[in-house]
Protein backbone atom coordinates (compact mmCIF):
# COMPACT_ATOMS: atom_id res chain seq x y z
CA UNK A 1 0.00 0.00 0.00
CA UNK A 2 1.44 3.42 -0.73
CA UNK A 3 5.35 7.00 -1.08
CA UNK A 4 7.56 9.36 -0.66
CA UNK A 5 6.79 10.16 -1.47
CA UNK A 6 6.21 7.24 -3.63
CA UNK A 7 6.98 8.77 -1.83
CA UNK A 8 5.00 8.27 -2.16
CA UNK A 9 4.72 9.88 -1.55
CA UNK A 10 4.47 9.43 -0.53
CA UNK A 11 5.97 10.00 0.75
CA UNK A 12 8.06 8.40 1.17
CA UNK A 13 7.94 4.70 -0.30
CA UNK A 14 8.39 4.57 -3.98
CA UNK A 15 5.50 6.70 -4.60
CA UNK A 16 5.87 7.37 -1.63
CA UNK A 17 6.84 7.10 -2.04
CA UNK A 18 7.04 4.10 -1.61
CA UNK A 19 7.53 6.21 1.49
CA UNK A 20 8.79 7.98 -0.26
CA UNK A 21 8.07 6.30 -2.69
CA UNK A 22 4.79 6.04 -2.32
CA UNK A 23 4.37 9.09 -0.90
CA UNK A 24 1.73 11.07 -2.06
CA UNK A 25 0.38 10.62 -5.57
CA UNK A 26 1.15 6.96 -6.02
CA UNK A 27 1.26 5.14 -9.31
CA UNK A 28 2.12 1.42 -9.41
CA UNK A 29 1.15 -0.68 -12.43
CA UNK A 30 -1.30 -3.40 -11.50
CA UNK A 31 0.84 -6.13 -13.03
CA UNK A 32 3.62 -5.36 -10.56
CA UNK A 33 1.33 -5.63 -7.53
CA UNK A 34 2.01 -8.31 -4.93
CA UNK A 35 -0.56 -10.07 -2.71
CA UNK A 36 -1.10 -8.30 0.59
CA UNK A 37 0.09 -9.93 3.76
CA UNK A 38 -2.37 -11.65 6.05
CA UNK A 39 -2.89 -10.13 9.47
CA UNK A 40 -1.04 -11.94 12.20
CA UNK A 41 2.24 -12.45 10.32
CA UNK A 42 4.34 -10.58 12.84
CA UNK A 43 8.11 -10.33 12.62
CA UNK A 44 9.74 -9.75 16.02
CA UNK A 45 11.71 -6.53 15.89
CA UNK A 46 12.91 -3.80 18.15
CA UNK A 47 12.04 -0.23 17.17
CA UNK A 48 15.45 1.40 17.03
CA UNK A 49 15.54 4.91 18.47
CA UNK A 50 16.95 7.56 16.18
CA UNK A 51 20.39 8.55 17.41
CA UNK A 52 20.44 12.24 18.11
CA UNK A 53 23.26 14.29 16.64
CA UNK A 54 24.91 11.38 14.85
CA UNK A 55 25.99 11.82 11.25
CA UNK A 56 27.05 8.96 8.97
CA UNK A 57 30.75 8.79 8.17
CA UNK A 58 31.64 10.99 5.21
CA UNK A 59 28.62 13.26 5.60
CA UNK A 60 29.83 15.54 8.39
CA UNK A 61 30.00 18.50 6.00
CA UNK A 62 26.22 18.79 6.01
CA UNK A 63 25.11 21.40 8.51
CA UNK A 64 22.35 23.86 9.25
CA UNK A 65 22.99 27.29 7.67
CA UNK A 66 25.72 25.95 5.38
CA UNK A 67 25.20 28.97 3.11
CA UNK A 68 25.34 31.53 5.95
CA UNK A 69 28.21 33.43 4.33
CA UNK A 70 27.98 32.40 0.66
CA UNK A 71 24.21 32.88 0.16
CA UNK A 72 22.68 33.93 3.49
CA UNK A 73 19.21 34.60 2.07
CA UNK A 74 18.85 31.27 0.24
CA UNK A 75 16.38 29.64 2.62
CA UNK A 76 14.26 32.77 2.89
CA UNK A 77 14.09 33.03 -0.89
CA UNK A 78 12.91 29.43 -1.16
CA UNK A 79 10.39 29.89 1.65
CA UNK A 80 8.91 33.05 0.11
CA UNK A 81 8.62 31.51 -3.35
CA UNK A 82 7.09 28.33 -1.93
CA UNK A 83 4.29 30.37 -0.37
CA UNK A 84 3.45 31.64 -3.85
CA UNK A 85 3.61 28.11 -5.28
CA UNK A 86 1.30 26.80 -2.58
CA UNK A 87 -1.19 29.61 -3.19
CA UNK A 88 -1.23 28.78 -6.91
CA UNK A 89 -1.47 24.98 -6.56
CA UNK A 90 -1.74 23.41 -3.08
CA UNK A 91 -1.59 19.91 -4.58
CA UNK A 92 2.08 20.47 -5.41
CA UNK A 93 3.02 20.29 -1.72
CA UNK A 94 2.74 16.49 -1.36
CA UNK A 95 4.27 16.10 -4.82
CA UNK A 96 7.40 18.02 -3.83
CA UNK A 97 7.78 15.96 -0.66
CA UNK A 98 7.52 12.81 -2.75
CA UNK A 99 10.08 14.16 -5.21
CA UNK A 100 12.59 14.59 -2.37
CA UNK A 101 11.88 11.06 -1.08
CA UNK A 102 12.38 9.65 -4.56
CA UNK A 103 15.67 11.52 -5.02
CA UNK A 104 17.14 10.38 -1.71
CA UNK A 105 16.24 6.72 -2.09
CA UNK A 106 17.43 6.10 -5.65
CA UNK A 107 21.00 7.47 -5.67
CA UNK A 108 21.09 9.50 -2.49
CA UNK A 109 20.04 13.12 -2.01
CA UNK A 110 22.00 14.48 -4.98
CA UNK A 111 19.34 15.92 -7.28
CA UNK A 112 19.71 13.07 -9.77
CA UNK A 113 15.93 12.71 -10.14
CA UNK A 114 15.89 16.18 -11.72
CA UNK A 115 18.31 15.36 -14.55
CA UNK A 116 16.95 15.16 -18.09
CA UNK A 117 19.07 14.56 -21.19
CA UNK A 118 16.03 13.85 -23.34
CA UNK A 119 17.25 10.32 -24.01
CA UNK A 120 14.50 8.68 -21.96
CA UNK A 121 16.97 6.81 -19.74
CA UNK A 122 16.94 8.90 -16.55
CA UNK A 123 15.26 8.19 -13.20
CA UNK A 124 12.29 10.35 -14.14
CA UNK A 125 11.68 8.12 -17.17
CA UNK A 126 11.01 4.95 -15.15
CA UNK A 127 7.45 3.65 -15.14
CA UNK A 128 7.10 4.24 -11.41
CA UNK A 129 8.39 7.81 -11.83
CA UNK A 130 5.88 8.95 -14.41
CA UNK A 131 3.49 10.47 -11.89
CA UNK A 132 6.23 12.58 -10.27
CA UNK A 133 5.42 16.29 -10.30
CA UNK A 134 7.17 19.46 -9.27
CA UNK A 135 10.15 19.56 -11.62
CA UNK A 136 9.24 22.99 -12.97
CA UNK A 137 8.76 24.24 -9.41
CA UNK A 138 12.30 23.23 -8.48
CA UNK A 139 13.61 25.07 -11.57
CA UNK A 140 11.55 28.08 -10.54
CA UNK A 141 13.06 28.07 -7.05
CA UNK A 142 16.53 27.53 -8.47
CA UNK A 143 16.21 30.59 -10.74
CA UNK A 144 15.18 32.77 -7.80
CA UNK A 145 18.23 31.67 -5.81
CA UNK A 146 20.55 31.85 -8.85
CA UNK A 147 19.57 35.47 -9.39
CA UNK A 148 21.07 36.33 -6.02
CA UNK A 149 23.81 33.70 -5.68
CA UNK A 150 24.92 32.20 -9.03
CA UNK A 151 26.28 28.63 -8.87
CA UNK A 152 26.39 28.52 -5.07
CA UNK A 153 23.34 26.55 -3.90
CA UNK A 154 22.92 23.01 -5.25
CA UNK A 155 19.74 21.67 -6.81
CA UNK A 156 19.82 18.88 -4.22
CA UNK A 157 19.67 21.48 -1.44
CA UNK A 158 16.93 23.42 -3.23
CA UNK A 159 14.88 20.22 -3.36
CA UNK A 160 15.48 19.51 0.34
CA UNK A 161 14.45 23.06 1.27
CA UNK A 162 11.37 22.86 -0.95
CA UNK A 163 10.31 19.62 0.74
CA UNK A 164 10.71 21.21 4.18
CA UNK A 165 8.57 24.17 3.15
CA UNK A 166 6.01 21.80 1.61
CA UNK A 167 5.76 19.94 4.92
CA UNK A 168 5.31 23.22 6.78
CA UNK A 169 2.74 24.56 4.32
CA UNK A 170 0.85 21.29 4.74
CA UNK A 171 0.41 22.22 8.43
CA UNK A 172 3.34 20.04 9.46
CA UNK A 173 6.50 21.01 11.37
CA UNK A 174 9.17 23.38 10.06
CA UNK A 175 12.44 21.64 10.89
CA UNK A 176 16.02 22.79 10.31
CA UNK A 177 17.37 21.53 7.00
CA UNK A 178 21.00 20.48 6.91
CA UNK A 179 22.58 21.81 3.71
CA UNK A 180 25.88 21.46 1.89
CA UNK A 181 24.87 18.79 -0.63
CA UNK A 182 26.32 18.89 -4.11
CA UNK A 183 24.65 17.65 -7.27
CA UNK A 184 25.32 14.29 -8.89
CA UNK A 185 25.80 13.73 -12.61
CA UNK A 186 24.40 10.21 -12.91
CA UNK A 187 20.74 9.30 -13.37
CA UNK A 188 19.78 5.76 -14.42
CA UNK A 189 16.23 4.65 -15.06
CA UNK A 190 16.67 1.04 -13.90
CA UNK A 191 18.01 2.10 -10.50
CA UNK A 192 14.55 3.30 -9.51
CA UNK A 193 13.26 -0.28 -9.45
CA UNK A 194 15.98 -1.60 -7.14
CA UNK A 195 16.34 1.30 -4.71
CA UNK A 196 12.84 2.56 -3.96
CA UNK A 197 10.91 0.96 -1.09
CA UNK A 198 8.39 -1.44 -2.67
CA UNK A 199 4.92 0.04 -2.38
CA UNK A 200 3.36 -3.40 -2.59
CA UNK A 201 6.11 -5.24 -0.73
CA UNK A 202 6.18 -6.99 2.63
CA UNK A 203 7.39 -5.26 5.78
CA UNK A 204 10.55 -7.36 5.57
CA UNK A 205 11.29 -6.13 2.05
CA UNK A 206 10.59 -2.52 2.99
CA UNK A 207 12.83 -2.73 6.06
CA UNK A 208 15.61 -4.14 3.90
CA UNK A 209 15.54 -1.10 1.61
CA UNK A 210 15.57 1.33 4.53
CA UNK A 211 18.47 -0.50 6.16
CA UNK A 212 20.53 -0.18 2.97
CA UNK A 213 20.07 3.59 3.25
CA UNK A 214 21.20 3.55 6.90
CA UNK A 215 17.66 4.36 8.03
CA UNK A 216 15.94 2.65 10.95
CA UNK A 217 12.66 0.88 11.45
CA UNK A 218 11.49 3.96 13.30
CA UNK A 219 12.34 6.13 10.29
CA UNK A 220 10.31 3.72 8.15
CA UNK A 221 7.12 3.92 10.17
CA UNK A 222 7.44 7.65 10.84
CA UNK A 223 8.06 8.59 7.21
CA UNK A 224 5.11 6.43 6.19
CA UNK A 225 3.03 9.09 7.91
CA UNK A 226 3.59 11.28 4.86
CA UNK A 227 0.90 9.16 3.25
CA UNK A 228 -1.63 11.27 5.11
CA UNK A 229 -1.00 13.60 2.16
CA UNK A 230 -1.98 13.11 -1.42
CA UNK A 231 -4.27 11.18 -3.71
CA UNK A 232 -4.11 8.14 -5.96
CA UNK A 233 -5.61 6.95 -9.22
CA UNK A 234 -8.15 4.16 -8.92
CA UNK A 235 -6.05 2.12 -11.37
CA UNK A 236 -3.35 1.80 -8.71
CA UNK A 237 -5.50 -0.29 -6.38
CA UNK A 238 -8.71 -1.34 -8.16
CA UNK A 239 -7.52 -4.95 -8.29
CA UNK A 240 -7.94 -4.98 -4.50
CA UNK A 241 -11.60 -4.07 -4.95
CA UNK A 242 -12.54 -6.30 -7.85
CA UNK A 243 -9.93 -9.01 -8.40
CA UNK A 244 -7.78 -9.51 -5.33
CA UNK A 245 -5.09 -12.11 -5.96
CA UNK A 246 -6.95 -13.22 -9.09
CA UNK A 247 -10.01 -14.34 -7.11
CA UNK A 248 -12.49 -11.90 -8.63
CA UNK A 249 -13.37 -10.70 -5.12
CA UNK A 250 -12.38 -7.92 -2.70
CA UNK A 251 -9.26 -8.03 -0.57
CA UNK A 252 -10.47 -9.42 2.78
CA UNK A 253 -8.01 -7.31 4.77
CA UNK A 254 -9.66 -4.07 3.64
CA UNK A 255 -12.21 -2.51 5.94
CA UNK A 256 -15.47 -3.62 4.31
CA UNK A 257 -17.22 -0.24 4.61
CA UNK A 258 -14.14 1.51 3.25
CA UNK A 259 -14.00 -0.94 0.34
CA UNK A 260 -17.63 -0.22 -0.53
CA UNK A 261 -16.94 3.52 -0.42
CA UNK A 262 -14.02 3.08 -2.82
CA UNK A 263 -16.18 1.00 -5.16
CA UNK A 264 -18.64 3.88 -5.37
CA UNK A 265 -15.77 6.11 -6.50
CA UNK A 266 -13.85 3.63 -8.64
CA UNK A 267 -15.51 1.45 -11.22
CA UNK A 268 -13.68 -1.58 -12.67
CA UNK A 269 -11.02 -0.59 -15.23
CA UNK A 270 -11.24 3.05 -14.18
CA UNK A 271 -7.94 4.63 -15.20
CA UNK A 272 -8.81 8.28 -14.67
CA UNK A 273 -10.59 8.87 -11.35
CA UNK A 274 -8.49 10.20 -8.49
CA UNK A 275 -9.39 9.61 -4.83
CA UNK A 276 -7.80 10.72 -1.60
CA UNK A 277 -5.90 8.23 0.50
CA UNK A 278 -7.14 7.67 4.04
CA UNK A 279 -9.91 9.63 5.69
CA UNK A 280 -8.19 12.94 6.43
CA UNK A 281 -7.52 16.09 4.43
CA UNK A 282 -5.18 15.10 1.55
CA UNK A 283 -3.43 18.47 1.85
CA UNK A 284 -2.73 18.23 5.58
CA UNK A 285 0.06 16.24 7.24
CA UNK A 286 -1.22 14.61 10.43
CA UNK A 287 -1.00 11.56 12.63
CA UNK A 288 -4.52 10.69 11.46
CA UNK A 289 -2.82 8.46 8.88
CA UNK A 290 -2.02 5.95 11.62
CA UNK A 291 -5.68 5.72 12.59
CA UNK A 292 -6.45 4.88 8.96
CA UNK A 293 -3.80 2.15 9.04
CA UNK A 294 -5.15 0.72 12.29
CA UNK A 295 -8.69 0.75 10.87
CA UNK A 296 -7.45 -0.93 7.66
CA UNK A 297 -8.65 1.98 5.55
CA UNK A 298 -5.55 2.06 3.35
CA UNK A 299 -5.02 0.67 -0.12
CA UNK A 300 -1.29 0.05 -0.42
CA UNK A 301 0.63 -2.85 1.05
CA UNK A 302 3.41 -0.61 2.37
CA UNK A 303 0.82 0.96 4.69
CA UNK A 304 -1.04 -2.19 5.70
CA UNK A 305 2.34 -3.94 6.14
CA UNK A 306 3.03 -1.75 9.18
CA UNK A 307 0.59 -3.97 11.08
CA UNK A 308 2.81 -7.02 10.51
CA UNK A 309 5.78 -6.03 12.63
CA UNK A 310 5.61 -5.61 16.41
CA UNK A 311 7.68 -2.45 16.42
CA UNK A 312 5.93 -0.63 13.60
CA UNK A 313 2.52 -1.76 14.82
CA UNK A 314 3.30 -0.40 18.29
CA UNK A 315 4.03 3.02 16.77
CA UNK A 316 0.86 2.86 14.65
CA UNK A 317 -1.23 2.04 17.73
CA UNK A 318 0.43 4.80 19.76
CA UNK A 319 -0.21 7.47 17.15
CA UNK A 320 -3.69 6.20 16.30
CA UNK A 321 -4.77 6.94 19.86
CA UNK A 322 -2.79 10.17 20.24
CA UNK A 323 -4.74 13.34 21.02
CA UNK A 324 -2.14 15.49 19.29
CA UNK A 325 0.18 15.17 16.28
CA UNK A 326 3.06 16.83 18.15
CA UNK A 327 5.08 13.68 18.88
CA UNK A 328 4.61 12.51 15.31
CA UNK A 329 5.76 15.92 14.08
CA UNK A 330 8.88 15.75 16.28
CA UNK A 331 9.66 12.26 15.00
CA UNK A 332 8.89 13.23 11.42
CA UNK A 333 11.28 16.18 11.58
CA UNK A 334 14.11 13.95 12.81
CA UNK A 335 13.42 11.25 10.22
CA UNK A 336 13.32 13.80 7.37
CA UNK A 337 16.72 15.04 8.52
CA UNK A 338 17.98 11.45 8.64
CA UNK A 339 16.70 10.77 5.14
CA UNK A 340 18.31 13.98 3.90
CA UNK A 341 21.71 12.55 4.85
CA UNK A 342 21.44 9.49 2.63
CA UNK A 343 24.47 9.08 0.33
CA UNK A 344 25.02 12.80 -0.14
CA UNK A 345 27.88 14.36 -2.10
CA UNK A 346 29.78 17.04 -0.19
CA UNK A 347 33.09 18.88 -0.28
CA UNK A 348 34.79 18.41 -3.64
CA UNK A 349 32.43 15.67 -4.80
CA UNK A 350 29.69 16.43 -7.28
CA UNK A 351 28.90 19.73 -8.96
CA UNK A 352 26.70 22.80 -8.50
CA UNK A 353 24.26 22.97 -11.41
CA UNK A 354 22.87 26.28 -12.64
CA UNK A 355 19.94 24.51 -14.29
CA UNK A 356 18.65 21.48 -12.39
CA UNK A 357 17.77 19.43 -15.47
CA UNK A 358 21.25 19.85 -16.98
CA UNK A 359 24.11 17.51 -16.19
CA UNK A 360 26.69 20.29 -15.71
Amino acid sequence: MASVLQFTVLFLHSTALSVLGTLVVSEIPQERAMPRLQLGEYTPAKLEPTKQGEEPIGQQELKVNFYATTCPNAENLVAQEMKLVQAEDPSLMPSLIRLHFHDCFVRGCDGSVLLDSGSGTEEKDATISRSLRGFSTIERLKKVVENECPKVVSCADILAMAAREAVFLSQGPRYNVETGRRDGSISIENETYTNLPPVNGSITAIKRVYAKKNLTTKDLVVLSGAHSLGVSHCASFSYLLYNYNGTGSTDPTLNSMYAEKLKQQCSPNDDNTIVQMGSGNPLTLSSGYFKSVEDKQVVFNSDEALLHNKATRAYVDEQASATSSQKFFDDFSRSMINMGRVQVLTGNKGVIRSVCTDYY
Side-chain angles (χ1 to χ4, degrees):
M1 308 173 160
S3 235
V4 231
L5 193 11
Q6 209 175 342
F7 289 128
T8 99
V9 347
L10 320 164
F11 295 42
L12 23 25
H13 308 347
S14 95
T15 80
L17 21 305
S18 303
V19 152
L20 265 187
T22 223
L23 270 168
V24 244
V25 182
S26 303
E27 300 294 337
I28 295 295
Q30 180 173 336
E31 62 270 20
R32 295 177 61 84
M34 297 172 60
R36 288 152 62 106
L37 297 171
Q38 297 302 312
L39 291 176
E41 295 179 7
Y42 298 110
T43 301
K46 180 180 180 181
L47 190 60
E48 307 95 325
T50 300
K51 297 179 180 179
Q52 302 290 329
E54 181 175 295
E55 295 179 334
I57 294 174
Q59 298 180 17
Q60 290 83 355
E61 294 177 64
L62 283 185
K63 64 180 182 180
V64 176
N65 293 325
F66 179 86
Y67 299 106
T69 57
T70 57
C71 192
N73 202 31
E75 295 199 37
N76 285 333
L77 289 172
V78 171
Q80 291 166 10
E81 196 67 21
M82 279 293 291
K83 288 181 181 179
L84 298 177
V85 171
Q86 195 253 3
E88 295 164 10
D89 185 357
S91 71
L92 276 171
M93 299 303 102
S95 296
L96 289 166
I97 299 169
R98 180 191 172 198
L99 196 60
H100 180 45
F101 271 70
H102 191 290
D103 186 51
C104 290
F105 270 90
V106 176
R107 290 196 63 85
C109 310
D110 66 350
S112 59
V113 70
L114 306 171
L115 289 169
D116 187 358
S117 67
S119 64
T121 60
E122 278 84 14
E123 292 172 30
K124 63 169 60 174
D125 298 308
T127 300
I128 57 178
S129 304
R130 290 176 186 170
S131 62
L132 289 174
R133 299 173 63 223
F135 296 106
S136 61
T137 299
I138 299 303
E139 291 291 5
R140 171 177 170 176
L141 299 173
K142 176 65 170 171
K143 287 179 182 178
V144 170
V145 176
E146 283 290 301
N147 286 338
E148 184 159 321
C149 311
K151 295 216 71 168
V152 172
V153 183
S154 69
C155 294
D157 277 345
I158 295 286
L159 181 51
M161 292 178 202
R164 185 267 304 278
E165 296 305 322
V167 169
F168 178 66
L169 292 169
S170 299
Q171 300 184 34
R174 193 174 192 276
Y175 51 90
N176 289 325
V177 171
E178 294 176 332
T179 46
R181 300 168 190 80
R182 289 171 67 85
D183 298 320
S185 299
I186 299 174
S187 185
I188 302 173
E189 175 187 356
N190 288 340
E191 290 187 344
T192 60
Y193 301 111
T194 56
N195 286 287
L196 291 173
V199 177
N200 285 302
S202 68
I203 188 64
T204 300
I206 298 168
K207 283 181 62 179
R208 188 180 302 121
V209 172
Y210 271 76
K212 286 181 180 178
K213 305 301 179 182
N214 200 30
L215 295 171
T216 68
T217 303
K218 182 171 183 178
D219 291 321
L220 185 165
V221 64
V222 170
L223 292 174
S224 295
H227 297 171
S228 62
L229 292 165
V231 295
S232 177
H233 282 87
C234 293
S236 297
F237 58 83
S238 62
Y239 72 98
L240 296 175
L241 303 176
Y242 299 106
N243 193 28
Y244 171 68
N245 209 21
T247 62
S249 58
T250 303
D251 180 354
T253 67
L254 270 178
N255 178 291
S256 59
M257 293 182 64
Y258 182 60
E260 289 305 313
K261 177 182 176 182
L262 291 176
K263 287 180 180 179
Q264 292 176 12
Q265 298 173 286
C266 302
S267 59
N269 305 314
D270 184 344
D271 295 329
N272 300 313
T273 303
I274 294 174
V275 300
Q276 72 179 62
M277 298 189 292
S279 56
N281 185 333
L283 298 178
T284 300
L285 181 72
S286 78
S287 59
Y289 158 80
F290 298 100
K291 179 63 174 171
S292 294
V293 173
E294 188 177 68
D295 292 343
K296 290 172 275 188
Q297 296 187 29
V298 287
V299 295
F300 294 98
N301 197 71
S302 58
D303 297 318
E304 193 258 356
L306 298 177
L307 299 174
H308 299 280
N309 174 276
K310 287 185 178 179
T312 56
R313 181 161 191 161
Y315 191 87
V316 169
D317 291 343
E318 175 191 8
Q319 292 303 313
S321 61
T323 57
S324 166
S325 291
Q326 189 56 54
K327 184 180 187 304
F328 165 59
F329 285 171
D330 292 342
D331 291 338
F332 191 80
S333 296
R334 174 54 58 184
S335 289
M336 286 292 285
I337 292 170
N338 290 343
M339 186 186 71
R341 295 171 174 170
V342 171
Q343 296 171 264
V344 297
L345 301 174
T346 60
N348 295 323
K349 297 179 181 179
V351 298
I352 302 294
R353 302 201 292 268
S354 296
V355 178
C356 293
T357 55
D358 292 347
Y359 273 76
Y360 298 101

